[in-house]
Amino acid sequence: MFEKVLIANRGAIACRIIRTLRRMGVGAIAVYSEADRHARHVREADAALCIGAPPAAESYLRQDRIIQAALDSGAQAIHPGYGFLSENAAFAEACEAAGIAFVGPTPRQMRDFGLKHTARELALANGLPLLPGSGLLDDLAQALDEARRVGYPVMLKSTAGGGGIGMQLCRDAAQLEQAFDAVSRLARGNFSQGGIFLEKFVERARHVEVQLFGDGAGAVIALGERDCSVQRRNQKVIEETPAPRLDDATRAALLDAAVRLGRSVHYRSAGTVEFVLDADSGAFHFLEVNTRLQVEHGVTEEVTGVDLVEWMVRLAAGDDLRLETRVPTPRGCSIQARLYAEDPGRNFQPSSGLLTEVALPQNLRCDAWVETGCEVPPHYDPMLAKLIVHGNDRADALAQLERALAATRLHGIETNLDYLRAVVAGEIFREGRQTTRSLLDFEYRPASVEVLAPGTQTTLQDWPGRTGHWDVGVPPSGPMDELAFRLANRLLGNDAGAPALEMTVTGPTLRFNAPTTIALTGARMKATLNVDGATRELPYWRALSIPAGATLRLGAIEGAGARACLAVRGGFDVPRYMGSAATFTLGRFGGHGGRALRVGDVLHLHAPDVTATDAALPAASIPVYGHDWDIAVMYGPHGAPDFFTDDDIAMLFATDWEVHYNSSRTGVR
């Protein structure tokens, strides 16, 4: 067995491999970019070496630096995980040339299966069913001819790569003409291989894959199948095993076809044979082979009890796994949901930044790399964690997944957590009727508020705020006008201290993605609500129903007062820090990201609210704001006659003082 193995990866998969190596008694060596110097996998490894700048091309894709790191650390093997260099045949060869074992398939197998058109040829030679398609296309004219022969719609594909990159659905010749150059450029840019081909598109397709493991000497076994049909832009979102609504005969045929293909090349290590299955006819067709560990390998491990990472390492070290005696009997059902740093409300654009709260469920398998206080860099894949449940059957696993998602909390940046909750609760997924295009028709409306303009020093506060921490240098935080703050929450039936917005000088502009009820109190800012192009002014000191899609604009403070409050029914969903959700900007904690709001921030509501209401605060309960205030003062130890004369003290208390707008709130004692 190896003494040390280097992990040429980052994130959740690096942490997962480290845990397996530690259990095996094998030393784990991590590599990291400058952006990941504080990452979890760096801390958990036995040793870690920096291999370059944050961009992947200058670090995690630098073969020479990774191999040198292995040599410098004394590692005898490199495990590539998934992504990055995991399917790079040249890297595998370079490892072997340096005397380092590559934990994965052979370079020849990577090349044969790495290009989809050659993989199709191998599948055809071994009797696997194929969708009608073409070979590599020389130009657009040939593509149009082949599409007419195959029949529209067709999928135009890059022969290299994966992860849904370099694929375009074309329903007619016009779409094919538009897509041809774009797909070719994308393929060259991402995979240094511009070859493209096309194949017939299945309208109601399911994505079903078979997990293989081979010893490189001809023994190949199948470890069950996985349904990966819940996809967005050809990127998997939820995976499960066994595949729902799959009859025993089809399942057996899928496994047999995959094993036949693997045995034909004496496949080595872990791999996945992917199929497209017609949801209407039940017929399946070969799609491609992934010559690496899959992101969704965990669900297979849960139902089989097999640790695929351990098998890969032991095989690379020369152990005889005796695979024919290790074929497991699957038990129960396992489902995986991928947590991504992306904003579903903005067409799933990636998000990066500080995670101010990470709370992941403890009673299930969670492959993750994030934790409270970590920074999500913008340079890499946005996956944060994988929640993996295992139940006695699918109903049990579904119930566990719903509970796990409900218990998960992620704050600071936008994630797909609420989106996952909605998908899992949807009828199509609950009934196991998902296809690869189900999410195209899935309607998702986030319970959130977008910040279009932040205003001046707009912060989230709660009441009574963060108190009792002067001993550690944290002054009291909370609303400056706590009476208006509590009255706003009272109007909405909230707890008096529910988190709300405190606004200063000029207010923000907010777009509501879900219906809710708000209350405006405190110093008056002109408030206008735009709904479908119609604008009206909103009153203060009453509960107001806000429809989804409405935009609220708050202007400058008019007249007396220094702070205005905007509360929503149920309060804003923000984490508590040192016992409070209040923002302490100087300490950079609390509220939303420990700071005042910025353009592009998204504030989450606890739940949409469609309750019609017209509650108003009685006139006698509304505080009057003026320019003159009487302030009660306790006479302290630094008075007359030690520091001031009696006349000085008399003048101090008798004088009208003006509080300048540059005064610091924390200067008021």
Side-chain angles (χ1 to χ4, degrees):
M1 179 50 60
F2 303 122
E3 293 182 5
K4 299 177 184 178
V5 172
L6 181 139
I7 302 106
N9 217 299
R10 65 177 301 277
I13 184 58
C15 295
R16 159 79 175 89
I17 296 171
I18 289 169
R19 287 194 297 273
T20 292
L21 293 175
R22 179 162 291 127
R23 182 174 51 77
M24 296 173 65
V26 176
I29 309 299
V31 293
Y32 63 95
S33 72
E34 293 169 3
D36 281 337
R37 61 189 180 279
H38 300 304
R40 185 170 171 180
H41 77 279
V42 175
R43 295 200 319 271
E44 292 184 350
D46 297 300
L49 296 91
C50 182
I51 53 172
E58 299 176 38
S59 52
Y60 294 107
L61 293 176
R62 285 293 301 266
Q63 301 182 30
D64 55 338
R65 294 180 182 174
I66 292 172
I67 291 173
Q68 189 60 51
L71 294 172
D72 292 344
S73 64
Q76 296 90 33
I78 293 178
H79 197 307
Y82 44 66
F84 293 135
L85 297 170
S86 61
E87 293 180 284
N88 189 302
F91 177 60
E93 288 172 338
C95 290
E96 300 292 345
I100 301 168
F102 179 82
V103 183
T106 68
R108 172 67 182 273
Q109 289 162 357
M110 289 183 188
R111 288 194 173 93
D112 286 345
F113 288 124
L115 297 177
K116 297 181 182 70
H117 73 285
T118 58
R120 281 173 58 90
E121 293 169 0
L122 278 169
L124 181 63
N126 286 279
L128 275 67
L130 295 177
L131 286 167
S134 73
L136 288 183
L137 301 168
D138 295 326
D139 51 34
L140 176 60
Q142 184 186 10
L144 292 169
D145 288 341
E146 288 294 299
R148 280 192 293 270
R149 178 183 63 81
V150 170
Y152 290 99
V154 296
M155 185 70 83
L156 189 63
K157 292 184 174 184
S158 162
T159 186
I165 300 173
M167 299 172 62
Q168 183 68 51
L169 172 62
C170 304
R171 294 193 173 277
D172 53 38
Q175 290 185 352
L176 180 57
E177 290 177 1
Q178 186 176 9
F180 188 86
D181 287 339
V183 172
S184 183
R185 281 196 306 272
L186 197 63
R188 286 193 300 270
N190 283 276
F191 314 120
S192 301
Q193 165 61 258
I196 54 178
F197 69 103
L198 58 81
E199 64 184 14
K200 181 69 177 176
F201 176 72
V202 179
E203 289 287 358
R204 284 183 24 86
R206 295 176 62 184
H207 185 132
V208 180
E209 62 188 29
V210 176
Q211 176 68 60
L212 290 184
F213 201 94
D215 65 3
V220 177
I221 63 172
L223 297 169
E225 86 289 347
R226 298 183 287 253
D227 186 295
C228 308
S229 301
V230 183
Q231 300 180 7
R232 185 189 57 75
R233 298 175 185 162
N234 303 310
Q235 177 66 58
K236 300 166 187 174
V237 178
I238 301 175
E239 303 96 345
E240 62 179 296
T241 185
R245 295 176 177 262
L246 191 66
D247 62 78
D248 291 341
T250 302
R251 177 175 287 110
L254 281 165
L255 301 184
D256 177 71
V259 170
R260 193 164 64 247
L261 181 60
R263 285 176 178 165
S264 71
V265 296
H266 285 201
Y267 192 80
R268 184 183 80 179
S269 199
T272 304
V273 183
E274 303 195 353
F275 297 90
V276 58
L277 188 147
D278 192 317
D280 295 322
S281 68
F284 65 85
H285 305 274
F286 172 80
L287 188 61
E288 63 182 0
V289 175
N290 285 310
T291 54
R292 56 172 166 80
L293 196 66
Q294 290 281 83
V295 177
E296 59 273 17
H297 71 277
V299 296
T300 295
E301 293 182 332
E302 289 298 298
V303 300
T304 62
V306 170
D307 187 326
L308 286 167
V309 172
E310 180 177 347
W311 278 21
M312 294 176 75
V313 172
R314 290 196 179 280
L315 182 68
D319 287 6
D320 182 4
L321 296 180
R322 301 179 63 194
L323 289 178
E324 294 87 347
T325 67
R326 289 177 174 261
V327 181
T329 300
R331 296 178 298 100
C333 173
S334 182
I335 308 176
Q336 169 181 287
R338 303 187 187 192
L339 285 168
Y340 286 112
E342 60 186 13
D343 187 352
R346 293 179 180 145
N347 201 26
F348 297 91
Q349 71 180 28
S351 56
S352 59
L354 181 69
L355 280 167
T356 56
E357 182 186 43
V358 176
L360 300 171
Q362 301 298 309
N363 57 343
L364 76 162
R365 175 172 170 178
C366 184
D367 289 359
W369 66 273
V370 291
E371 54 198 342
T372 298
C374 78
E375 191 87 17
V376 178
H379 312 285
Y380 316 116
D381 182 274
M383 191 170 66
L384 304 175
K386 301 178 291 181
L387 301 183
I388 307 169
V389 298
H390 181 215
N392 296 323
D393 52 28
R394 191 171 191 269
D396 183 22
L398 268 175
Q400 288 189 45
L401 183 59
E402 284 191 310
R403 290 194 296 269
L405 290 169
T408 301
R409 289 180 63 80
L410 295 165
H411 283 101
I413 63 174
E414 282 308 287
T415 72
N416 69 333
L417 176 58
D418 287 337
Y419 180 77
L420 286 173
R421 291 168 176 164
V423 171
V424 170
E427 182 179 349
I428 289 178
F429 183 72
R430 296 195 68 81
E431 296 179 359
R433 295 187 291 106
Q434 61 265 28
T435 68
T436 56
R437 297 179 67 79
S438 294
L439 294 185
L440 287 177
D441 302 320
F442 182 73
E443 186 175 355
Y444 169 71
R445 188 178 290 278
S448 63
V449 178
E450 293 181 52
V451 179
L452 305 183
T456 304
Q457 197 70 9
T458 304
T459 58
L460 278 161
Q461 302 293 341
D462 67 357
W463 178 83
R466 188 174 296 102
T467 60
H469 298 295
W470 262 122
D471 56 332
V472 292
V474 178
S477 306
M480 184 174 184
D481 184 351
E482 67 177 53
L483 176 60
F485 191 94
R486 287 182 286 129
L487 289 173
N489 278 320
R490 181 192 299 178
L491 276 166
L492 300 173
N494 295 343
D495 178 85
L501 288 178
E502 185 178 68
M503 303 169 290
T504 307
V505 185
T506 58
T509 300
L510 308 170
R511 179 166 57 228
F512 291 80
N513 293 321
T516 190
T517 304
I518 71 168
L520 293 165
T521 61
R524 181 170 180 83
M525 297 172 166
K526 184 177 181 180
T528 57
L529 188 72
N530 185 287
V531 182
D532 297 329
T535 300
R536 62 186 174 93
E537 190 168 344
L538 297 183
Y540 270 51
W541 308 102
R542 69 185 310 142
L544 305 163
S545 295
I546 306 294
T551 299
L552 173 64
R553 184 185 302 274
L554 290 144
I557 289 178
E558 300 174 340
R563 299 290 191 277
C565 175
L566 187 159
V568 297
R569 178 159 288 160
F572 288 100
D573 183 12
V574 290
R576 295 174 69 82
Y577 190 92
M578 296 181 71
S580 170
T583 306
F584 176 34
T585 54
L586 291 178
R588 298 183 182 179
F589 54 74
H592 183 78
R595 53 173 172 76
L597 297 189
R598 297 174 184 166
V599 174
D601 283 345
V602 178
L603 307 177
H604 287 263
L605 309 173
H606 277 290
D609 172 35
V610 294
T611 306
T613 184
D614 195 35
L617 201 68
S621 299
I622 300 174
V624 176
Y625 292 88
H627 290 286
D628 299 318
W629 298 75
D630 290 331
I631 299 175
V633 178
M634 290 184 67
Y635 195 86
H638 299 105
D642 297 330
F643 288 84
F644 298 91
T645 67
D646 290 334
D647 289 342
D648 289 334
I649 292 298
M651 180 274 292
L652 177 69
F653 289 134
T655 301
D656 290 336
W657 297 92
E658 179 181 352
V659 179
H660 193 268
Y661 59 81
N662 281 337
S663 297
S664 170
R665 280 179 56 188
T666 56
V668 179
R669 301 288 185 260

